[in-house]
Amino acid sequence: GLGAGDPAFAVAVHLDRARLRRRLAVGGELSEADLAAAVDNDYRLALFKDRRCRPALRHVYARARTGHDLAQEADAATALADATPDDARTAAVMLTRAAEALVELDRTDDARARYEAAIERLPSHVPALVGLTDFALGRQDWTRAVHSAERAGQALRDHAQKAHFLVVAGTIAQDRLADPEEKLNHAQSLFRQALAAEPRSAEAFSRLEPSLHDARDFAALAELRSEE
């Protein structure tokens, strides 16, 4: 068993005390505010013994969310992700939430890093891909926006949403990329993928049709119109 000098024993004691206070409102003459502070202190002591203590990190994160403490929220969410190496989805969710808080704090480099870390942990995590797309658009990073919107479209299961994000990616490529060949070929490919996902996508059709016309690809244009 655990001995009194074992750090894990101290963590367990602090967690049990915090849980007991919360469930039974044990605190004697303590006011509600003082009781909450005592619970917070129990969790802080647990974290002092073990920085990866997930119950304590979840408590700190929840308190930060409730109090709209964005810096604490981002730190706790990142720490929770680091403390869950065996759960890619939870880590991706926490890293995405950390990124969202950091965007609000205008810590742009840190926010981008958290979005990218979330995608690294779970490449199909749509909220991180969408967040990174919005982030890139806001900073006119067109190449990153195209790439992340395309990956979001590919990861989505709903056909209409998939088509929409592929059209978003294609539209950015068509309107913003510098290389003329990439603008044309990549955008058309994305619009075709959108129509493959949702053949009734009016926005994909309305983007692909003039693109084919401008490229004088009349055979492809005739084929597209025949499928309308």
Side-chain angles (χ1 to χ4, degrees):
L2 297 177
D6 192 314
F9 177 82
V11 170
V13 168
H14 293 308
L15 291 178
D16 284 345
R17 184 181 297 154
R19 289 164 181 154
L20 184 63
R21 291 188 201 276
R22 293 176 67 184
R23 292 175 183 174
L24 303 180
V26 174
E29 70 283 359
L30 292 180
S31 67
E32 184 176 343
D34 288 340
L35 182 57
V39 171
D40 289 344
N41 188 59
D42 288 328
Y43 281 116
R44 277 196 297 271
L45 289 170
L47 280 174
F48 179 76
K49 295 292 185 180
D50 179 6
R51 300 302 302 173
R52 296 165 66 88
C53 176
R54 282 183 278 188
L57 286 170
R58 284 194 290 268
H59 174 80
V60 172
Y61 172 74
R63 291 281 286 173
R65 290 270 286 189
T66 301
H68 202 62
D69 183 342
L70 293 170
Q72 182 69 72
E73 180 182 340
D75 289 346
T78 301
L80 267 169
D82 292 341
T84 54
D86 55 341
D87 187 346
R89 182 164 298 280
T90 295
V93 168
M94 288 295 104
L95 287 164
T96 300
R97 291 180 181 174
E100 291 165 350
L102 291 164
V103 167
E104 288 195 57
L105 290 169
D106 202 30
R107 289 169 52 185
T108 56
D109 290 342
D110 291 334
R112 186 186 67 249
R114 297 302 187 281
Y115 278 132
E116 290 173 343
I119 294 164
E120 183 177 350
R121 293 296 298 272
L122 190 65
S124 62
H125 189 57
V126 172
L129 290 165
V130 172
L132 186 58
T133 301
D134 290 341
F135 176 90
L137 285 172
R139 281 143 191 84
Q140 300 184 5
D141 185 346
W142 309 124
T143 299
R144 192 187 303 274
V146 170
H147 182 61
S148 53
E150 180 178 2
R151 290 181 65 182
Q154 292 168 346
L156 283 160
R157 296 182 180 180
D158 180 86
H159 291 177
Q161 291 182 346
K162 178 185 289 288
H164 172 71
F165 270 92
L166 290 168
V167 170
V168 168
T171 300
I172 301 166
Q174 189 177 60
D175 293 347
R176 298 296 185 179
L177 294 185
D179 183 80
E181 186 173 347
E182 186 177 8
K183 284 172 65 114
L184 177 67
N185 295 335
H186 197 177
Q188 287 187 1
S189 172
L190 289 163
F191 297 143
R192 290 182 187 280
Q193 289 180 54
L195 285 168
E198 178 48 83
R200 297 171 297 177
S201 173
E203 57 180 351
F205 184 90
S206 66
R207 276 282 178 172
L208 181 57
E209 183 183 38
S211 176
L212 293 172
H213 186 275
D214 292 345
R216 303 182 68 80
D217 190 345
F218 298 119
L221 185 59
E223 182 182 355
L224 175 68
R225 287 172 175 169
S226 71
E227 296 170 355
E228 187 179 4

